[in-house]
Structures are given as structure tokens and as C-alpha cells.
């Protein structure tokens, strides 16, 4: 079983970039829908939540990499099918 560790860590970074981009684009809309303002959430940044999200991302991406490796997915389409099935 061979895992491309560089690809897994790139996906972990991409995961956080997608989350950052999502809230950069839709953050104001999300705040309005929940009747909040930036001052309501400004001082509530909890490092534990970021650490938990990072650990979860590592576990999910390595699990998916192991599954793709064990099922011998040789093309990107096969890998995508496995990921969507999960």
C-alpha cells in the first residue's frame, strides 16, 4: 500500500483554503441569516476548534488515501468515484 503523502498534505491545505474562501465570499450573508454581526463573533475564536478541524482533515484525507490505495484506483476518475461513494 503506497500513499502519496505530499498529495494528502496538499489536500489538507486545500481543505482549509476552501473553508476560508467560502466564508470570505459568503460570510456576510451567513451572518445576516443568523442575525449576527462581526462584533458578536469577533472575540470567540477558539484555537481548539481549529486544531480539531485540522486533525479531522488529516484523518479523513489519510483514510481516503488508504482506501484508494487498497482498491487500486489507478485513474483520477476511479479515485473520484471512491471519494463520492464515501
Amino acid at each position: 500500500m503506497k500513499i502519496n503523502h505530499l498529495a494528502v498534505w496538499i489536500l489538507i491545505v486545500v481543505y482549509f483554503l476552501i473553508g476560508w474562501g467560502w466564508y470570505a465570499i459568503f460570510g456576510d450573508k451567513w451572518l445576516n441569516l443568523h442575525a449576527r454581526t462581526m462584533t458578536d463573533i469577533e472575540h470567540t475564536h477558539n484555537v481548539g476548534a481549529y486544531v480539531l478541524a485540522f486533525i479531522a482533515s488529516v484523518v479523513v484525507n489519510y483514510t481516503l488515501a488508504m482506501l484508494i490505495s487498497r482498491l487500486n484506483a489507478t485513474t483520477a476518475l476511479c479515485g473520484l468515484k471512491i471519494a463520492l461513494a464515501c
Side-chain angles (χ1 to χ4, degrees), residues 13-39:
V13 170
V14 167
Y15 166 79
F16 279 97
L17 289 175
I18 288 172
W20 172 77
W22 181 268
Y23 286 107
I25 294 170
F26 299 113
D28 292 332
K29 181 76 170 171
W30 180 84
L31 287 172
N32 289 336
L33 289 173
H34 292 283
R36 304 239 188 236
T37 63
M38 277 305 280
T39 55

Side-chain angles (χ1 to χ4, degrees), residues 11-86:
L11 286 174
I12 292 167
V13 170
V14 167
Y15 166 79
F16 279 97
L17 289 175
I18 288 172
W20 172 77
W22 181 268
Y23 286 107
I25 294 170
F26 299 113
D28 292 332
K29 181 76 170 171
W30 180 84
L31 287 172
N32 289 336
L33 289 173
H34 292 283
R36 304 239 188 236
T37 63
M38 277 305 280
T39 55
D40 293 337
I41 63 168
E42 198 169 74
H43 299 290
T44 60
H45 294 290
N46 185 2
V47 176
Y50 293 110
V51 171
L52 182 62
F54 176 76
I55 292 170
S57 178
V58 170
V59 169
V60 165
N61 283 303
Y62 268 104
T63 303
L64 188 56
M66 284 189 276
L67 185 59
I68 288 171
S69 177
R70 284 185 183 240
L71 293 176
N72 199 22
T74 56
T75 65
L77 184 60
C78 290
L80 181 62
K81 287 178 182 178
I82 293 169
L84 290 175
C86 289

